Amino acid sequence: MKKTYIPKLDDLLGGGVKEGASIMFSASPGVDYEAFGYQMLNGRLEEGSAGFIFTNVGEPESIIYEFRSYGWDIESRIENGNVFFVDGSSPFLGMPSDQRYTVNDYSEIKDVVLRAIDDIPGGVGVINNLSVIIDYLGNGETLEIVEAWNRRASELEVNLVYLFTEWDYEQELIDRIRETMDCVVDLRTIEERVIIGQGFMVANSAWSEPPSTMVLFFVVQPGGVKVYVPKILVTGPYNSGKSSFVRAIATKSVSVDRKALSAFPTTIAMDIGHLEYKGFMADIFGTPGQERFDMILDVLSREAVGAFILVDSTAPETFARAKEMIRKTRAEAIPKVVVANKQDLPGALSPEEIREKMKLGAEVPIVPASVTEGWGIMEALDTLLGLLYGG
């Protein structure tokens, strides 16, 4: 199996793609999709594989610039011959091309790409863009060419990665194209009157039975494709360690604090953070723990998709308040992890004792942690991401 290097996609496919398999990223118009093919190619180049990019959507220089914007070094690999372009763009723009292969006329495209496939046994080739080929050649010829490419690629264990925009083609054509692929990943917009997000889902795979899970994503520069978790809530009683927890897991965070007279600072409105971890991006919202701020819990908890419930393991008298905050933030309806904080202090109850006292079912994970000592935090994050997306 070969990795796609797309966060979460390898898990959905059972470890990646089979050697020699074809994969198509099939995107609705307007979806950011080119990074999927380029990220897969970049990961494989870093492994030491060979590859090529067929382009009919922009000249090679613009694609090199795009790789640079993602923080990926393709130039040195072009120089050492690990990757090359099949340039199907420059001649049509009236520009000279010095690439290894150039398509001057679409009647040449089948044989030129077959030669490129022959050059990279065990490698990966990106076809960007299949829909432009259809626009030039029409339905029947395109299907015949794609089938020929896939046969040769399969013989040489080359993974072909097709980027396809689903313009208003005949449904029969789209269905036949999808049938020629070993794997199809749909890229879709998520809309509510306006586009509010993008997601991918494996539509079919010849070697696995992926779940019908829609994974939200962003394409960021630098970085490429990142799985996006819209909102994670951090709640719990006063002094359970919520603000410290948010600061510990967030790449960037800010707290709205007030220092009372001769007392410790306490969060009076919210903690806001943003994290990037193992290809995931998420926005974190921490609630205040004091009852007088309960009126804002409903606002803070809206659209949350997962929650951490912080409890002070040494203060069982606060557990009832913790359960009340689960109810007030509607966290009982979303995946949640109880973080049993302050496990380093004398008298801390074990996770099993906390589960018994809070009367929580076995489906709610309780992760022991000490936020001040910095352990148990990433385990809690891994547990919640596992609940959200499996794995």
Side-chain angles (χ1 to χ4, degrees):
M1 299 288 278
K2 297 291 186 181
K3 289 184 178 179
T4 67
Y5 292 92
I6 308 299
K8 197 58 195 168
L9 181 56
D10 289 326
D11 293 339
L12 296 178
L13 291 173
V17 295
K18 288 187 67 174
E19 289 86 348
S22 56
I23 180 170
M24 181 170 75
F25 293 100
S26 183
S28 302
V31 174
D32 224 349
Y33 63 90
E34 288 179 325
F36 281 82
Y38 296 162
Q39 191 157 325
M40 189 168 167
L41 173 64
N42 182 67
R44 293 285 293 278
L45 292 176
E46 289 184 347
E47 282 183 1
S49 296
F52 71 80
I53 301 173
F54 166 82
T55 173
N56 54 17
V57 295
E59 64 270 41
E61 281 302 320
S62 66
I63 294 174
I64 291 171
Y65 176 82
E66 197 167 351
F67 268 74
R68 199 180 298 143
S69 72
Y70 292 128
W72 305 329
D73 173 24
I74 194 172
E75 288 159 289
S76 65
R77 296 188 172 92
I78 292 173
E79 290 173 4
N80 65 27
N82 280 2
V83 63
F84 57 87
F85 284 97
V86 179
D87 188 356
S89 179
S90 299
F92 296 87
L93 297 173
M95 301 172 64
S97 176
D98 57 357
Q99 303 304 317
R100 183 183 299 186
Y101 294 108
T102 302
V103 177
N104 295 293
D105 185 284
Y106 265 72
S107 62
E108 306 169 352
I109 186 172
K110 175 182 175 182
D111 292 334
V112 172
V113 173
L114 285 174
R115 291 201 295 276
I117 293 170
D118 290 343
D119 285 354
I120 58 162
V124 57
V126 177
I127 307 295
N128 186 19
N129 183 290
L130 179 58
S131 34
V132 176
I133 297 174
I134 295 171
D135 294 341
Y136 271 101
L137 295 179
N139 302 359
E141 192 171 356
T142 301
L143 284 167
E144 186 268 325
I145 287 173
V146 168
E147 288 170 353
W149 290 347
N150 287 348
R151 278 195 301 273
R152 182 69 64 84
S154 178
E155 292 167 1
L156 297 176
E157 297 191 337
V158 170
N159 290 118
L160 285 185
V161 183
Y162 293 88
L163 302 179
F164 177 58
T165 306
E166 289 188 16
W167 296 111
D168 191 22
Y169 298 115
E170 298 169 6
Q171 188 58 48
E172 181 183 357
L173 171 64
I174 293 177
D175 292 342
R176 291 189 62 188
I177 288 173
R178 294 169 77 93
E179 289 169 3
T180 65
M181 304 294 167
D182 296 309
C183 178
V184 177
V185 179
D186 288 329
L187 311 180
R188 297 287 182 258
T189 56
I190 299 165
E191 302 176 27
E192 189 171 331
R193 301 181 69 181
V194 296
I195 295 174
I196 59 174
Q198 301 179 116
F200 69 78
M201 181 174 67
V202 179
N204 64 269
S205 164
W207 60 88
S208 60
E209 294 184 6
S212 54
T213 301
M214 175 68 81
V215 179
L216 302 183
F217 72 91
F218 264 154
V219 176
V220 295
Q221 295 172 314
V225 179
K226 301 279 187 181
V227 173
Y228 178 55
V229 182
K231 189 176 190 179
I232 293 176
L233 199 65
V234 179
T235 192
Y238 169 70
N239 200 35
S240 58
K242 299 181 297 299
S243 296
S244 298
F245 183 79
V246 170
R247 286 195 292 271
I249 64 171
T251 315
K252 301 174 183 174
S253 67
V254 61
S255 297
V256 182
D257 293 341
R258 180 187 69 178
K259 185 172 288 187
L261 291 174
S262 302
F264 298 104
T266 182
T267 302
I268 61 169
M270 66 182 80
D271 299 294
I272 304 172
H274 176 80
L275 71 83
E276 295 190 23
Y277 176 68
K278 292 185 177 178
F280 286 85
M281 294 171 54
D283 294 321
I284 314 295
F285 287 77
T287 75
Q290 296 158 307
E291 292 183 17
R292 66 179 184 275
F293 298 117
D294 280 1
M295 78 287 285
I296 67 172
L297 295 184
D298 178 62
V299 175
L300 290 178
S301 61
R302 288 174 189 167
E303 290 89 37
V305 298
F308 292 107
I309 316 299
L310 268 289
V311 297
D312 181 342
S313 303
T314 67
E317 67 275 13
T318 64
F319 292 174
R321 171 64 176 162
K323 291 188 71 174
E324 180 64 5
M325 296 190 76
I326 292 175
R327 187 188 68 79
K328 285 181 178 296
T329 56
R330 302 190 187 94
E332 69 266 57
I334 57 178
K336 56 190 165 296
V337 173
V338 172
V339 181
N341 192 25
K342 305 188 184 183
Q343 288 284 309
D344 56 306
L345 298 183
L349 299 180
S350 69
E352 293 72 23
E353 291 171 320
I354 293 170
R355 184 184 303 283
E356 171 59 27
K357 286 189 175 294
M358 292 185 70
K359 305 301 180 189
L360 294 172
E363 74 281 3
V364 180
I366 301 179
V367 177
S370 169
V371 176
T372 56
E373 292 191 347
W375 55 268
I377 300 165
M378 291 301 116
E379 289 80 359
L381 181 54
D382 283 330
T383 302
L384 183 60
L385 293 176
L387 291 176
L388 289 169
Y389 286 118

